[in-house]
Amino acid sequence: MADAVSSFESASPAAAESTRFDLARGLARRRGLLATPRRKLTLALAASLVLHLLIGAAADVEPPEDKSITLAAKLMPLPPPPVPVATPPAPKPKQKPKRPKPVVAASAPVAIVADPVPDLSPVAPTAPESAPAAEPQVAAAPPPPQPTPPPPAPEPAPPPARMPPKKINLGYTAFLGEQKFEVGPVVLQFNHDNGRYKLRVVGRGRGIAALLYPGTFTGESEGQITSEGLRPDKFTEERGNPDKRRETIFDHEKRLLRVPDKEPIPFEGSPHDPLTWIVQFYFSTPKTDRVTISVGTSRRMDVYTLERAGEEEIELPTGDADPVTGQRAVKRVATQVWKGTRKPDADGKPNGNATFWLSPEWHYIPMRIKVVNAQGRSASFELTAISTE
């Protein structure tokens, strides 16, 4: 039989090919559209495309809000800082001259009258009158002690005589660790109106950092502008999503820092928050080589003591980027290096440190910042852009 089929195929190859085609067509009719793997794949892709189109047309999907802003990489000239109000010393009160007592002159001569002569004739004794019995004296109860009133809240310093620009934007690049692993851009936005300010920071990871640290970090500070710098009233931070939002209140009247999920923390003076202490030197130029700054966060009150440790020239990119190479011109900027440690906890263990590179040419704006926590992990920020309005 096999020899017969072989001889038939060799004799008429066209007839054999036609027979195979008729057999395949019959199987395809029997199986329908899913007769071959290619048809199955094509049908699956078509069904997926139709399904996506239907979902996209029926559902109203809004793109996620991008809170980050893009700041042109350029260092603009920064206006001078606010000028404190000149308060002259209070004049001493003048003593009023004593008025002499008036002397009254006699209009007529004064007559001198002689004392009367006492009568020395004996007088009959009289029975002494009985004195009324004295009533017992009852001692009055002492008044209850008055409660000691709390000390009055310190009055805020007056506003400066000249206010800063309406808007100041500072662009930084954030790094992690001593090897300076780049995280992404951070923009610090300052604006004010009617003596009150808002200071906002927005940061988002870039590249691999966006996978390790997803979401956007935002922080916002509100308060007053005084001749001694910024005086925060409220600080809010949000890490990644609204569920991680924390709010800190600076109660200056009772001198308490109100943090979430903890007892209020007392403070003295005028503390800062994590944003205001970055630009504090711009609003209040350091007058000595040693300053102490209290920083109230959403978890605790930190106290830093910074000292001027020397001077250092650092390179900063300035101007616009080259249209061909994309590189920016580099300028060497003279800075003052201020280093300090954070006040240790009750156990006495080191609690981290901070270093600021301040430029007198740029009115003590931090050109570079490095902060190290108690575990030794560090974060640094380098200035890349300044814009004002």
Coordinates of all heavy atoms in Angstrom, one line a residue, residues 236-325:
T236 N 4.7 71.8 58.0 CA 4.0 70.6 57.5 C 4.9 69.8 56.5 O 5.6 70.5 55.7 CB 2.7 70.9 56.8 OG1 2.0 71.8 57.6 CG2 1.9 69.7 56.5
E237 N 5.0 68.5 56.7 CA 5.8 67.7 55.7 C 4.9 66.5 55.3 O 4.1 66.0 56.0 CB 7.1 67.2 56.4 CG 6.9 66.2 57.5 CD 8.2 65.7 58.1 OE1 9.2 66.1 57.6 OE2 8.2 64.8 59.0
E238 N 5.2 66.1 54.0 CA 4.5 64.9 53.5 C 5.5 64.1 52.7 O 6.2 64.6 51.8 CB 3.4 65.4 52.5 CG 2.5 64.3 51.9 CD 1.4 64.9 51.0 OE1 0.7 65.8 51.5 OE2 1.3 64.4 49.9
R239 N 5.6 62.8 53.1 CA 6.6 61.9 52.5 C 5.9 60.9 51.6 O 5.4 59.9 52.1 CB 7.4 61.2 53.6 CG 8.2 62.2 54.4 CD 8.9 61.4 55.6 NE 9.7 62.3 56.4 CZ 10.9 62.7 56.2 NH1 11.6 62.1 55.2 NH2 11.5 63.5 57.1
G240 N 5.9 61.2 50.3 CA 5.4 60.2 49.4 C 3.9 60.2 49.1 O 3.4 60.2 48.0
N241 N 3.1 60.3 50.2 CA 1.6 60.3 50.0 C 1.0 61.0 51.1 O 1.6 61.2 52.2 CB 1.1 58.8 49.8 CG 1.4 58.0 51.0 OD1 1.0 58.2 52.1 ND2 2.3 57.0 50.8
P242 N -0.3 61.4 51.0 CA -1.0 62.2 52.1 C -1.1 61.4 53.4 O -1.3 62.0 54.4 CB -2.4 62.5 51.5 CG -2.2 62.4 50.0 CD -1.1 61.3 49.8
D243 N -1.0 60.1 53.4 CA -1.1 59.3 54.6 C 0.1 59.6 55.5 O 0.0 59.3 56.7 CB -1.2 57.8 54.3 CG -2.5 57.5 53.6 OD1 -3.5 58.3 53.7 OD2 -2.6 56.5 52.9
K244 N 1.2 60.1 55.0 CA 2.4 60.3 55.7 C 2.6 61.8 56.0 O 3.7 62.3 56.1 CB 3.6 59.8 55.0 CG 3.6 58.3 54.9 CD 4.8 57.7 54.2 CE 4.8 56.2 54.1 NZ 6.0 55.7 53.5
R245 N 1.5 62.5 56.1 CA 1.5 64.0 56.4 C 1.6 64.2 57.9 O 0.8 63.7 58.7 CB 0.3 64.6 55.8 CG 0.2 66.1 56.0 CD -1.1 66.7 55.5 NE -1.3 68.1 55.7 CZ -0.9 69.0 54.8 NH1 -0.3 68.7 53.7 NH2 -1.1 70.3 55.1
R246 N 2.5 65.1 58.3 CA 2.7 65.4 59.7 C 2.8 67.0 59.8 O 3.4 67.6 59.0 CB 4.0 64.8 60.3 CG 4.0 63.3 60.3 CD 5.3 62.7 60.7 NE 5.6 63.0 62.1 CZ 5.2 62.3 63.1 NH1 4.5 61.2 62.9 NH2 5.5 62.6 64.4
E247 N 2.2 67.5 60.9 CA 2.1 68.9 61.1 C 2.7 69.3 62.5 O 2.4 68.6 63.5 CB 0.6 69.4 61.0 CG 0.5 70.9 61.1 CD -1.0 71.3 60.9 OE1 -1.4 71.4 59.7 OE2 -1.7 71.5 61.9
T248 N 3.5 70.3 62.5 CA 4.1 70.8 63.8 C 3.7 72.3 64.0 O 3.7 73.1 63.1 CB 5.6 70.7 63.7 OG1 6.0 69.4 63.4 CG2 6.3 71.1 65.0
I249 N 3.2 72.6 65.2 CA 2.8 73.9 65.6 C 3.8 74.5 66.6 O 4.2 73.9 67.6 CB 1.4 73.9 66.2 CG1 0.4 73.3 65.2 CG2 0.9 75.3 66.6 CD1 0.2 74.0 63.9
F250 N 4.2 75.8 66.3 CA 5.1 76.5 67.2 C 4.2 77.5 68.0 O 3.7 78.5 67.5 CB 6.1 77.3 66.4 CG 7.1 76.5 65.7 CD1 6.8 75.8 64.5 CD2 8.4 76.3 66.2 CE1 7.7 75.1 63.8 CE2 9.3 75.5 65.6 CZ 9.0 74.9 64.4
D251 N 3.9 77.1 69.2 CA 3.1 77.9 70.1 C 4.0 78.9 70.9 O 4.5 78.6 71.9 CB 2.3 77.0 71.1 CG 1.3 77.7 71.9 OD1 1.3 79.0 71.9 OD2 0.4 77.1 72.5
H252 N 4.1 80.1 70.3 CA 5.0 81.1 70.9 C 4.5 81.7 72.1 O 5.2 82.1 73.0 CB 5.3 82.2 69.8 CG 6.1 81.7 68.6 ND1 7.5 81.5 68.6 CD2 5.6 81.3 67.4 CE1 7.8 81.0 67.5 NE2 6.8 80.9 66.7
E253 N 3.1 81.7 72.3 CA 2.6 82.3 73.5 C 2.9 81.4 74.7 O 3.2 82.0 75.8 CB 1.0 82.4 73.3 CG 0.3 83.0 74.5 CD -1.1 83.2 74.3 OE1 -1.6 82.9 73.1 OE2 -1.8 83.7 75.2
K254 N 2.8 80.1 74.6 CA 3.1 79.2 75.7 C 4.5 78.6 75.6 O 4.9 77.8 76.4 CB 2.0 78.1 75.8 CG 0.6 78.6 76.0 CD -0.4 77.5 76.2 CE -1.8 78.0 76.5 NZ -2.8 77.0 76.6
R255 N 5.2 79.0 74.6 CA 6.6 78.5 74.3 C 6.6 76.9 74.3 O 7.4 76.3 75.0 CB 7.5 79.0 75.4 CG 7.6 80.5 75.5 CD 8.5 81.0 76.5 NE 8.4 82.5 76.6 CZ 9.2 83.2 77.5 NH1 10.0 82.6 78.4 NH2 9.1 84.5 77.5
L256 N 5.8 76.4 73.5 CA 5.7 74.9 73.3 C 5.7 74.6 71.9 O 5.1 75.2 71.0 CB 4.4 74.4 74.0 CG 4.2 74.5 75.5 CD1 2.9 74.0 75.9 CD2 5.3 73.7 76.2
L257 N 6.4 73.4 71.6 CA 6.4 72.9 70.3 C 5.5 71.7 70.3 O 5.7 70.7 71.0 CB 7.8 72.4 69.9 CG 8.0 71.7 68.5 CD1 7.9 72.8 67.4 CD2 9.3 71.0 68.4
R258 N 4.4 71.8 69.5 CA 3.3 70.7 69.5 C 3.6 69.8 68.3 O 3.4 70.2 67.1 CB 2.0 71.4 69.4 CG 1.7 72.4 70.6 CD 0.3 72.8 70.7 NE 0.1 73.8 71.7 CZ -0.1 73.5 73.0 NH1 -0.2 72.2 73.3 NH2 -0.2 74.4 73.9
V259 N 4.0 68.6 68.6 CA 4.3 67.6 67.5 C 3.3 66.5 67.6 O 2.6 66.3 68.6 CB 5.7 67.0 67.8 CG1 6.8 68.1 67.6 CG2 5.8 66.4 69.1
P260 N 3.1 65.8 66.5 CA 2.1 64.7 66.4 C 2.5 63.6 67.4 O 3.6 63.2 67.5 CB 2.1 64.3 65.0 CG 2.7 65.4 64.2 CD 3.7 66.0 65.1
D261 N 1.5 63.0 68.1 CA 1.6 61.8 68.9 C 2.6 61.9 70.0 O 3.1 60.9 70.5 CB 1.9 60.6 68.0 CG 1.0 60.5 66.8 OD1 -0.2 60.8 66.9 OD2 1.5 60.1 65.7
K262 N 2.9 63.1 70.5 CA 3.8 63.3 71.6 C 3.3 64.4 72.5 O 2.5 65.3 72.1 CB 5.2 63.5 71.1 CG 5.9 62.3 70.5 CD 7.4 62.6 70.1 CE 8.1 61.4 69.6 NZ 9.5 61.8 69.2
E263 N 3.9 64.5 73.7 CA 3.6 65.6 74.5 C 4.3 66.9 74.0 O 5.4 66.8 73.4 CB 4.1 65.3 76.0 CG 3.4 64.2 76.7 CD 1.9 64.6 77.0 OE1 1.7 65.8 77.2 OE2 1.0 63.7 76.9
P264 N 3.7 68.1 74.3 CA 4.4 69.3 73.8 C 5.8 69.4 74.4 O 6.1 69.0 75.5 CB 3.5 70.4 74.3 CG 2.1 69.7 74.5 CD 2.4 68.3 74.9
I265 N 6.7 70.0 73.6 CA 8.1 70.2 74.0 C 8.3 71.6 74.3 O 8.1 72.5 73.4 CB 9.0 69.7 72.9 CG1 8.7 68.2 72.5 CG2 10.5 69.8 73.3 CD1 9.5 67.7 71.3
P266 N 8.8 72.0 75.5 CA 9.1 73.4 75.8 C 10.3 73.9 75.0 O 11.2 73.1 74.7 CB 9.3 73.4 77.3 CG 9.7 72.0 77.6 CD 9.0 71.1 76.6
F267 N 10.3 75.2 74.7 CA 11.5 75.8 74.0 C 11.7 77.2 74.6 O 10.8 77.8 75.2 CB 11.3 75.8 72.5 CG 10.2 76.6 72.0 CD1 10.3 78.0 71.9 CD2 9.0 76.0 71.6 CE1 9.2 78.8 71.4 CE2 7.9 76.8 71.1 CZ 8.1 78.2 71.0
E268 N 12.9 77.7 74.3 CA 13.2 79.1 74.6 C 13.7 79.8 73.4 O 14.2 79.2 72.4 CB 14.4 79.1 75.7 CG 14.0 78.4 77.0 CD 15.2 78.5 78.0 OE1 16.2 79.0 77.6 OE2 15.0 78.0 79.1
G269 N 13.5 81.1 73.4 CA 13.8 81.9 72.3 C 12.9 81.7 71.1 O 11.7 81.5 71.3
S270 N 13.5 81.8 69.9 CA 12.7 81.7 68.7 C 13.3 80.6 67.8 O 14.3 80.8 67.1 CB 12.7 83.0 67.9 OG 12.1 84.0 68.6
P271 N 12.7 79.4 68.0 CA 13.3 78.2 67.2 C 13.0 78.3 65.7 O 12.1 79.1 65.3 CB 12.7 77.0 67.9 CG 11.4 77.5 68.4 CD 11.6 78.9 68.8
H272 N 13.7 77.5 64.9 CA 13.4 77.4 63.5 C 12.8 76.0 63.2 O 12.7 75.2 64.1 CB 14.7 77.6 62.7 CG 15.3 79.0 62.8 ND1 14.9 80.0 61.9 CD2 16.1 79.6 63.7 CE1 15.5 81.1 62.3 NE2 16.3 80.9 63.3
D273 N 12.5 75.9 61.9 CA 12.0 74.5 61.5 C 13.0 74.0 60.4 O 14.0 74.8 60.1 CB 10.6 74.6 60.9 CG 10.4 75.6 59.7 OD1 11.3 75.7 58.9 OD2 9.4 76.2 59.7
P274 N 12.8 72.8 59.9 CA 13.8 72.3 58.9 C 14.0 73.1 57.7 O 15.0 72.9 57.0 CB 13.3 70.9 58.6 CG 12.5 70.5 59.8 CD 11.9 71.8 60.3
L275 N 13.2 74.1 57.4 CA 13.3 74.9 56.2 C 13.9 76.3 56.5 O 14.8 76.8 55.8 CB 12.0 75.0 55.4 CG 11.3 73.7 54.9 CD1 10.1 74.0 54.1 CD2 12.3 72.9 54.1
T276 N 13.4 76.9 57.5 CA 13.9 78.3 57.8 C 15.3 78.3 58.2 O 16.0 79.3 58.0 CB 13.0 78.9 58.9 OG1 13.1 78.1 60.1 CG2 11.5 79.0 58.5
W277 N 15.8 77.3 58.9 CA 17.2 77.4 59.3 C 18.2 77.3 58.1 O 19.4 77.7 58.2 CB 17.5 76.3 60.3 CG 17.9 74.9 59.9 CD1 17.2 74.2 59.0 CD2 19.1 74.2 60.3 NE1 17.9 73.0 58.8 CE2 19.0 73.0 59.6 CE3 20.1 74.4 61.2 CZ2 20.0 72.0 59.7 CZ3 21.1 73.4 61.3 CH2 21.0 72.2 60.6
I278 N 17.7 76.8 56.9 CA 18.6 76.8 55.7 C 18.9 78.2 55.3 O 20.0 78.5 54.9 CB 17.9 75.9 54.6 CG1 17.7 74.5 55.1 CG2 18.7 76.0 53.3 CD1 17.0 73.6 54.1
V279 N 17.9 79.1 55.3 CA 18.0 80.4 54.8 C 18.1 81.4 55.9 O 18.1 82.6 55.6 CB 16.9 80.8 53.8 CG1 16.9 79.9 52.6 CG2 15.5 80.6 54.6
Q280 N 18.3 81.0 57.1 CA 18.3 81.9 58.2 C 19.5 82.9 58.1 O 19.4 84.1 58.4 CB 18.4 81.2 59.6 CG 18.8 82.0 60.8 CD 17.7 83.1 61.1 OE1 16.6 83.1 60.6 NE2 18.1 84.0 61.9
F281 N 20.6 82.5 57.6 CA 21.8 83.3 57.5 C 21.6 84.4 56.4 O 22.3 85.5 56.5 CB 23.0 82.5 57.2 CG 23.4 81.5 58.2 CD1 23.1 80.2 58.1 CD2 24.0 82.0 59.4 CE1 23.5 79.3 59.1 CE2 24.4 81.1 60.4 CZ 24.1 79.7 60.3
Y282 N 20.7 84.2 55.5 CA 20.4 85.3 54.5 C 19.6 86.4 55.2 O 19.8 87.6 54.9 CB 19.7 84.7 53.3 CG 19.1 85.7 52.4 CD1 19.9 86.4 51.5 CD2 17.7 86.0 52.3 CE1 19.4 87.4 50.6 CE2 17.2 86.9 51.4 CZ 18.1 87.6 50.6 OH 17.6 88.6 49.8
F283 N 18.6 86.0 56.0 CA 17.7 87.0 56.6 C 18.4 87.6 57.9 O 18.0 88.6 58.3 CB 16.4 86.3 57.0 CG 15.6 86.0 55.8 CD1 15.6 84.8 55.2 CD2 14.7 86.9 55.3 CE1 14.8 84.5 54.1 CE2 13.9 86.6 54.2 CZ 14.0 85.4 53.6
S284 N 19.4 86.9 58.5 CA 20.0 87.4 59.7 C 21.5 87.0 59.6 O 21.9 85.9 59.9 CB 19.4 86.9 60.9 OG 20.1 87.4 62.1
T285 N 22.3 88.0 59.1 CA 23.8 87.7 58.9 C 24.4 87.4 60.2 O 24.2 88.1 61.2 CB 24.4 88.9 58.3 OG1 23.8 89.2 57.0 CG2 25.9 88.6 58.0
P286 N 25.2 86.3 60.3 CA 25.9 86.0 61.6 C 26.8 87.1 62.0 O 27.6 87.7 61.3 CB 26.7 84.7 61.3 CG 26.8 84.7 59.8 CD 25.6 85.4 59.2
K287 N 26.7 87.5 63.3 CA 27.4 88.6 63.8 C 28.6 88.2 64.6 O 29.5 89.0 65.0 CB 26.5 89.5 64.7 CG 25.3 90.1 64.0 CD 24.4 90.8 64.9 CE 23.2 91.4 64.2 NZ 22.4 90.4 63.5
T288 N 28.7 86.9 65.0 CA 29.8 86.3 65.7 C 30.3 85.1 65.0 O 29.7 84.7 64.0 CB 29.5 86.0 67.2 OG1 28.4 85.0 67.2 CG2 29.0 87.3 67.9
D289 N 31.3 84.5 65.5 CA 31.9 83.2 64.9 C 31.2 82.0 65.5 O 31.7 80.9 65.2 CB 33.4 83.2 65.0 CG 34.1 84.2 64.1 OD1 33.4 84.7 63.2 OD2 35.2 84.5 64.4
R290 N 30.2 82.1 66.3 CA 29.6 81.0 66.9 C 28.1 81.3 67.1 O 27.7 82.3 67.7 CB 30.2 80.7 68.3 CG 29.6 79.5 69.1 CD 30.2 79.5 70.5 NE 29.6 78.4 71.3 CZ 30.1 77.2 71.4 NH1 31.3 76.9 70.8 NH2 29.6 76.3 72.2
V291 N 27.2 80.4 66.6 CA 25.8 80.6 66.7 C 25.2 79.3 67.2 O 25.7 78.2 66.9 CB 25.2 81.1 65.4 CG1 25.7 82.4 64.9 CG2 25.5 80.0 64.3
T292 N 24.1 79.5 67.9 CA 23.3 78.3 68.4 C 21.9 78.4 67.8 O 21.2 79.5 67.9 CB 23.2 78.3 69.9 OG1 24.6 78.1 70.4 CG2 22.4 77.1 70.4
I293 N 21.4 77.4 67.1 CA 20.2 77.4 66.4 C 19.3 76.2 66.9 O 19.8 75.1 66.9 CB 20.3 77.3 64.9 CG1 21.1 78.5 64.4 CG2 19.0 77.3 64.2 CD1 21.4 78.5 62.9
S294 N 18.1 76.5 67.3 CA 17.2 75.4 67.7 C 16.3 75.1 66.5 O 15.7 76.1 65.9 CB 16.3 75.8 68.9 OG 17.1 76.1 70.0
V295 N 16.1 73.8 66.2 CA 15.3 73.4 65.0 C 14.2 72.5 65.5 O 14.5 71.4 66.0 CB 16.2 72.7 63.9 CG1 15.4 72.4 62.7 CG2 17.4 73.6 63.6
G296 N 13.0 72.9 65.3 CA 11.8 72.1 65.7 C 11.3 71.3 64.5 O 10.9 71.8 63.5
T297 N 11.4 69.9 64.6 CA 10.9 69.1 63.6 C 9.6 68.5 64.0 O 9.0 68.8 65.0 CB 11.9 67.9 63.3 OG1 12.0 67.0 64.4 CG2 13.3 68.5 63.1
S298 N 9.1 67.6 63.1 CA 7.8 66.9 63.4 C 7.9 65.8 64.5 O 7.0 65.1 64.8 CB 7.2 66.3 62.2 OG 8.0 65.4 61.6
R299 N 9.2 65.6 65.0 CA 9.4 64.5 66.0 C 10.1 65.0 67.2 O 10.0 64.4 68.3 CB 10.2 63.4 65.3 CG 9.4 62.7 64.2 CD 10.3 61.8 63.4 NE 9.5 61.0 62.5 CZ 9.1 61.4 61.3 NH1 9.4 62.7 60.9 NH2 8.4 60.7 60.5
R300 N 10.9 66.1 67.2 CA 11.7 66.5 68.3 C 12.2 67.9 68.1 O 11.9 68.5 67.1 CB 12.9 65.5 68.5 CG 13.8 65.5 67.3 CD 14.9 64.5 67.4 NE 15.7 64.5 66.2 CZ 15.5 63.7 65.2 NH1 14.4 62.9 65.2 NH2 16.3 63.8 64.1
M301 N 12.9 68.4 69.1 CA 13.6 69.7 69.1 C 15.1 69.4 69.1 O 15.6 68.9 70.0 CB 13.2 70.6 70.3 CG 13.9 71.9 70.3 SD 13.4 73.1 69.0 CE 11.8 73.6 69.7
D302 N 15.8 69.9 68.0 CA 17.2 69.7 67.9 C 17.9 71.0 68.1 O 17.3 72.1 67.8 CB 17.6 69.2 66.5 CG 17.1 67.8 66.2 OD1 16.9 67.0 67.2 OD2 16.8 67.5 65.1
V303 N 19.1 71.0 68.7 CA 19.8 72.2 69.0 C 21.2 72.0 68.4 O 21.9 71.1 68.7 CB 20.0 72.5 70.5 CG1 20.8 73.8 70.7 CG2 18.6 72.6 71.1
Y304 N 21.6 72.9 67.4 CA 22.9 72.9 66.8 C 23.7 74.1 67.2 O 23.2 75.2 67.3 CB 22.7 72.9 65.3 CG 22.2 71.7 64.6 CD1 20.8 71.4 64.5 CD2 23.0 70.7 64.1 CE1 20.3 70.3 63.9 CE2 22.5 69.5 63.6 CZ 21.1 69.3 63.5 OH 20.6 68.2 62.9
T305 N 25.0 73.8 67.5 CA 25.9 74.9 67.7 C 26.9 74.9 66.6 O 27.7 74.0 66.4 CB 26.6 74.7 69.1 OG1 25.6 74.6 70.1 CG2 27.6 75.8 69.3
L306 N 26.9 75.9 65.8 CA 27.7 76.1 64.6 C 28.8 77.1 64.9 O 28.6 78.1 65.5 CB 26.9 76.5 63.4 CG 25.8 75.6 63.0 CD1 25.0 76.2 61.8 CD2 26.2 74.2 62.7
E307 N 30.0 76.7 64.4 CA 31.2 77.6 64.5 C 31.8 77.8 63.2 O 31.9 76.9 62.3 CB 32.2 77.1 65.5 CG 31.7 77.0 66.9 CD 32.8 76.5 67.9 OE1 33.9 76.1 67.4 OE2 32.6 76.5 69.1
R308 N 32.4 79.0 63.0 CA 33.1 79.3 61.7 C 34.4 78.6 61.7 O 35.3 78.9 62.5 CB 33.2 80.8 61.5 CG 33.9 81.2 60.2 CD 33.9 82.7 60.1 NE 34.7 83.1 58.9 CZ 34.9 84.3 58.5 NH1 34.4 85.3 59.2 NH2 35.6 84.6 57.5
A309 N 34.6 77.6 60.8 CA 35.8 76.8 60.9 C 36.8 77.2 59.9 O 37.9 76.6 59.9 CB 35.4 75.3 60.6
G310 N 36.5 78.1 59.0 CA 37.5 78.5 58.0 C 36.9 78.9 56.7 O 35.7 79.2 56.7
E311 N 37.7 79.0 55.6 CA 37.2 79.4 54.3 C 37.6 78.4 53.3 O 38.6 77.7 53.5 CB 37.7 80.8 53.9 CG 37.3 81.9 54.9 CD 37.7 83.3 54.4 OE1 38.5 83.3 53.4 OE2 37.4 84.3 55.0
E312 N 36.8 78.3 52.2 CA 37.0 77.3 51.2 C 36.4 77.8 49.9 O 35.3 78.3 49.9 CB 36.4 75.9 51.6 CG 36.7 74.8 50.6 CD 36.0 73.5 51.0 OE1 35.7 73.4 52.2 OE2 35.9 72.6 50.1
E313 N 37.1 77.6 48.8 CA 36.6 77.9 47.5 C 36.0 76.6 46.9 O 36.7 75.6 46.9 CB 37.7 78.4 46.6 CG 38.1 79.9 46.8 CD 38.9 80.4 45.7 OE1 39.4 79.6 44.9 OE2 39.1 81.7 45.7
I314 N 34.8 76.7 46.4 CA 34.1 75.6 45.8 C 33.7 76.0 44.4 O 33.6 77.2 44.0 CB 32.9 75.1 46.6 CG1 31.9 76.2 46.7 CG2 33.3 74.7 48.0 CD1 30.6 75.8 47.4
E315 N 33.6 75.0 43.5 CA 33.2 75.2 42.1 C 31.7 75.1 41.9 O 31.1 74.1 42.4 CB 33.9 74.3 41.2 CG 35.4 74.6 41.1 CD 36.1 73.7 40.1 OE1 35.4 72.7 39.6 OE2 37.3 73.9 39.8
L316 N 31.1 76.1 41.3 CA 29.6 76.0 41.1 C 29.4 76.3 39.6 O 30.0 77.2 39.0 CB 28.9 77.0 41.9 CG 28.8 76.7 43.4 CD1 28.1 77.9 44.1 CD2 28.1 75.4 43.7
P317 N 28.4 75.6 39.0 CA 28.0 75.9 37.6 C 27.2 77.2 37.6 O 26.3 77.4 38.3 CB 27.2 74.7 37.2 CG 26.7 74.1 38.5 CD 27.7 74.4 39.5
T318 N 27.6 78.1 36.7 CA 26.9 79.3 36.5 C 26.5 79.5 35.1 O 27.1 78.9 34.2 CB 27.8 80.5 37.0 OG1 29.0 80.5 36.2 CG2 28.1 80.4 38.5
G319 N 25.6 80.4 34.8 CA 25.2 80.7 33.4 C 24.4 79.6 32.8 O 24.0 78.6 33.4
D320 N 24.1 79.8 31.5 CA 23.3 78.9 30.8 C 24.1 77.7 30.2 O 25.3 77.9 30.1 CB 22.6 79.6 29.6 CG 21.6 80.6 30.0 OD1 20.9 80.4 31.1 OD2 21.5 81.7 29.4
A321 N 23.5 76.6 29.9 CA 24.2 75.5 29.4 C 24.6 75.7 27.9 O 23.8 76.4 27.2 CB 23.3 74.2 29.5
D322 N 25.7 75.2 27.5 CA 26.1 75.3 26.2 C 25.2 74.5 25.3 O 24.9 73.3 25.6 CB 27.6 74.7 26.0 CG 28.1 74.9 24.6 OD1 27.9 74.1 23.8 OD2 28.8 76.0 24.4
P323 N 24.7 75.1 24.2 CA 23.7 74.3 23.3 C 24.3 73.1 22.7 O 23.5 72.2 22.3 CB 23.3 75.4 22.3 CG 24.4 76.4 22.3 CD 25.0 76.4 23.7
V324 N 25.6 73.0 22.5 CA 26.2 71.8 21.8 C 26.6 70.8 22.8 O 26.2 69.6 22.8 CB 27.4 72.3 21.0 CG1 28.0 71.1 20.3 CG2 26.9 73.3 20.0
T325 N 27.4 71.2 23.8 CA 27.9 70.2 24.8 C 27.0 70.0 26.0 O 27.1 68.9 26.7 CB 29.3 70.6 25.3 OG1 29.2 71.9 26.0 CG2 30.2 70.8 24.1

